[in-house]
Amino acid sequence: MSLTRRRLLVPAALAACTTLAFGMTPAAAANTAAQPDGPALAKQLVKKVDVGAINRHLIALQRISDANGGTRAASTEGHKKSAEYIATKLEAAGFQVTRQEFPFTFAETLAEKLTAGGADVPVIAMEYTTNTPVGGITAPLAVVAVDDTSGCEATDYTADVAGKIALIKRGGCSFAQKQATAAAAGAIGAIVYNNTDGALNGTLGDPANAKIPTGGVTAAAGAQLATLGGQNVTLELRAFQEQRTSYNVIAETKTGRHDNVVMLGSHLDSVPAGPGINDNGTGSATLLETALQLGSSPKSSNAVRFGFWSAEEFGLIGSTYYVDSLTFEQQLDIALYMNFDMIGSPNAAYFAYDGDNSDGVGAGPGPYGSAQIEQTLAGYLNAKGVPTEGTDFDGRSDYGEFIAVGIPAGGLFTGAEGQKTAAQAAKWGGTAGLAYDRCYHQACDNLGNIDRVALDRNADAVAWAVGVYATSTESVNGVPPGKSKTAKQKAADRGAQRNFAAHAVAGDPHALAS
């Protein structure tokens, strides 16, 4: 995920504090040991959600992956068994569970190679890229001028780009738009280089968007390639693609208002290359344990819904399919959405999505209420002596379609391929200059790739936020807790509860309801 350093979100009273692990005095530790002010349900849930139980779920996901080709990618047996592990536990706990099936294009990389200036340059094929021939394509490199929207407009390309491989800086528009605009100018391939530290793992979003072979390289590799304009380079990018189906698992409590639902989500699928224990076993295991400890019939004002998405790694397909399957009225029933994707990275950062755009970076604020969600999540960690930074809604995880339809959103994130700065290492521990997750999208994303201290802290924040918003979403959308309902409203709630399967998939003939 694309990350830049953000403003510190720490109350003044805590500005001098760090966690005990990073040098907190015993007195300071005692001062932050108590729960911050909040509803009883939130305090109870924090006590009940245990990192040991979450780790047990991660062990299960690791073993499922090991027994099924080392992957839990969407549509594979590894994903199916992961989904059933979660679904059956939630069913046994009394939740209303829906399995929502959807079609998608499965893709798996076969070749990634770039040779320039007589040396091999690490390159990552964009998801859904078109294929080069075996052995690749060889052509002169055309360096696209750098501005805030490099390669996004036709005017960015000179007439002599035809028949060449375009080198384009990331930023300003989607990867799909960059390569499509380059193709329209006559380029036969595209290399996009990062605008921040770390590798560039990108997607074109849909096979229909793909026009020319497109890969991503680091910022440093891009800078070096830019000195080779006009020289021949060889690019080989090939992937296997096939139409398949997968399914989301969606579970909802039986109690609480079903017309003011608190929703949480995480993607359950891994990339084909590995087991995906941090990305995103950590988020999924935490949501599962939070649901089990909350119970299917909590004494709460609002219903709580959990979404375990599939095919996130192929372009946020499962979560997008879910949101788009809802009518406008059904979307209105969702008070807010919180997303948890990678919350135990081994060189962990503590990021909360920048709901109010106070950092002034990237995509701008989320829908109204997103700032309040950020305050709830970051505020809990801050009150525990864990400083946080903001991270942009950059469109790389499953909050995307929720935001697109106006649902307030937030979440936590411990970092992917971006590199930890010296200031962050001083603040949080870990190693400066190394990726937050050195095994991002690799086979080594296994049980040894987890910071369980970070996972424990973030899991507590998840539990806290669930308890807060299950009690009341008034700060987010103005709906007060415990408001008496008319007979008509109660009947509507019962109808929504009975028809949850149809509610979740809105006429989808592929729904597999339990």
Side-chain angles (χ1 to χ4, degrees):
M1 297 185 178
S2 177
L3 297 174
T4 54
R5 186 161 177 250
R6 310 297 190 184
R7 176 179 61 82
L8 188 63
L9 301 174
V10 187
L14 295 173
C17 294
T18 56
T19 63
L20 183 61
F22 303 151
M24 179 184 284
T25 66
N31 288 336
T32 61
Q35 300 287 0
D37 289 337
L41 179 59
K43 296 178 180 180
Q44 293 166 4
L45 200 53
V46 169
K47 291 179 180 178
K48 292 168 72 175
V49 174
D50 177 67
V51 73
I54 294 170
N55 192 61
R56 183 177 176 86
H57 300 317
L58 294 179
I59 294 169
L61 296 180
Q62 178 74 61
R63 293 188 183 183
I64 288 169
S65 174
D66 290 345
N68 292 278
T71 186
R72 298 185 305 103
S75 78
T76 67
E77 284 300 309
H79 174 266
K80 292 175 186 176
K81 287 184 168 56
S82 298
E84 289 310 303
Y85 173 82
I86 284 174
T88 54
K89 283 188 175 296
L90 292 169
E91 287 169 338
F95 283 84
Q96 300 176 89
V97 176
T98 298
R99 296 160 175 82
Q100 182 190 33
E101 190 174 89
F102 59 86
F104 78 106
T105 303
F106 177 86
E108 186 170 5
T109 300
L110 301 176
E112 296 172 315
K113 187 174 183 180
L114 172 63
T115 303
D120 289 337
V121 179
V123 62
I124 299 174
M126 294 276 180
E127 203 79 66
Y128 299 129
T129 180
T130 60
N131 288 338
T132 66
V134 175
I137 54 176
T138 299
L141 188 68
V143 180
V144 176
V146 174
D147 59 24
D148 290 340
T149 57
S150 296
C152 297
E153 295 91 20
T155 52
D156 292 336
Y157 298 90
T158 59
D160 66 349
V161 74
K164 297 182 179 179
I165 296 172
L167 177 68
I168 313 165
K169 187 175 182 178
R170 179 182 188 175
C173 65
S174 67
F175 301 130
Q177 183 176 336
K178 288 179 186 289
Q179 59 91 42
T181 309
I188 62 170
I191 302 166
V192 182
Y193 60 97
N194 217 340
N195 55 4
T196 187
D197 292 331
L200 199 164
N201 288 274
T203 179
L204 302 183
D206 188 284
N209 296 333
K211 306 300 180 185
I212 51 178
T214 304
V217 299
T218 65
Q224 180 60 33
L225 287 169
T227 68
L228 304 178
Q231 295 186 28
N232 276 355
V233 300
T234 299
L235 177 66
E236 183 178 15
L237 301 172
R238 292 185 293 108
F240 166 77
Q241 294 186 12
E242 181 177 74
Q243 290 299 309
R244 295 185 181 181
T245 60
S246 190
Y247 61 96
N248 301 317
V249 174
I250 304 159
E252 186 162 340
T253 59
K254 294 177 179 177
T255 53
R257 291 184 61 161
H258 295 276
D259 62 348
N260 194 55
V261 176
V262 174
M263 187 163 192
L264 300 84
S266 64
H267 75 88
L268 180 59
D269 63 310
S270 73
V271 294
I277 301 303
N278 184 40
D279 184 16
N280 182 34
T282 52
S284 296
T286 297
L287 261 59
L288 173 60
E289 188 59 24
T290 301
L292 295 176
Q293 295 305 323
L294 176 68
S296 61
S297 300
K299 295 180 179 179
S300 62
S301 296
N302 303 310
V304 182
R305 186 180 303 164
F306 298 86
F308 298 87
W309 313 121
S310 185
E312 188 269 0
E313 299 291 6
F314 294 95
L316 318 182
I317 294 171
S319 58
T320 300
Y321 187 90
Y322 169 77
V323 175
D324 291 350
S325 75
L326 303 177
T327 67
F328 182 69
E329 289 296 326
Q330 291 166 348
Q331 291 172 2
L332 285 178
D333 288 339
I334 301 174
L336 59 91
Y337 174 76
M338 292 182 287
N339 193 72
F340 301 100
D341 186 356
M342 303 177 68
I343 57 172
S345 303
N347 195 24
Y350 291 87
F351 295 116
Y353 285 107
D354 187 13
D356 60 0
N357 197 36
S358 56
D359 298 338
V361 177
Y368 182 83
S370 301
Q372 289 83 346
I373 299 170
E374 178 189 6
Q375 291 166 5
T376 296
L377 290 166
Y380 178 84
L381 290 170
N382 296 165
K384 290 298 184 178
V386 182
T388 56
E389 294 182 9
T391 186
D392 186 40
F393 283 122
D394 58 9
R396 291 183 62 185
S397 197
D398 291 300
Y399 52 76
E401 196 68 7
F402 290 87
I403 288 176
V405 299
I407 296 171
L412 300 172
F413 173 50
T414 50
E417 77 273 35
Q419 293 184 356
K420 179 173 280 188
T421 67
Q424 289 172 338
K427 179 167 54 186
W428 294 321
T431 306
L434 294 183
Y436 304 110
D437 183 351
R438 65 188 183 279
C439 289
Y440 177 65
H441 283 189
Q442 298 178 53
C444 58
D445 185 8
N446 53 35
L447 280 172
N449 192 47
I450 302 296
D451 180 340
R452 287 169 178 81
V453 172
L455 179 59
D456 190 15
R457 290 169 174 163
N458 283 316
D460 285 348
V462 172
W464 178 258
V466 171
V468 166
Y469 292 127
T471 302
S472 175
T473 64
E474 188 168 11
S475 66
V476 173
N477 64 1
V479 177
K483 184 177 180 180
S484 61
K485 300 181 185 179
T486 66
K488 183 178 179 180
Q489 287 174 321
K490 291 179 180 178
D493 274 5
R494 288 194 296 269
Q497 187 174 341
R498 286 194 302 268
N499 295 309
F500 175 70
H503 172 137
V505 296
D508 175 16
H510 301 292
L512 307 175
S514 299

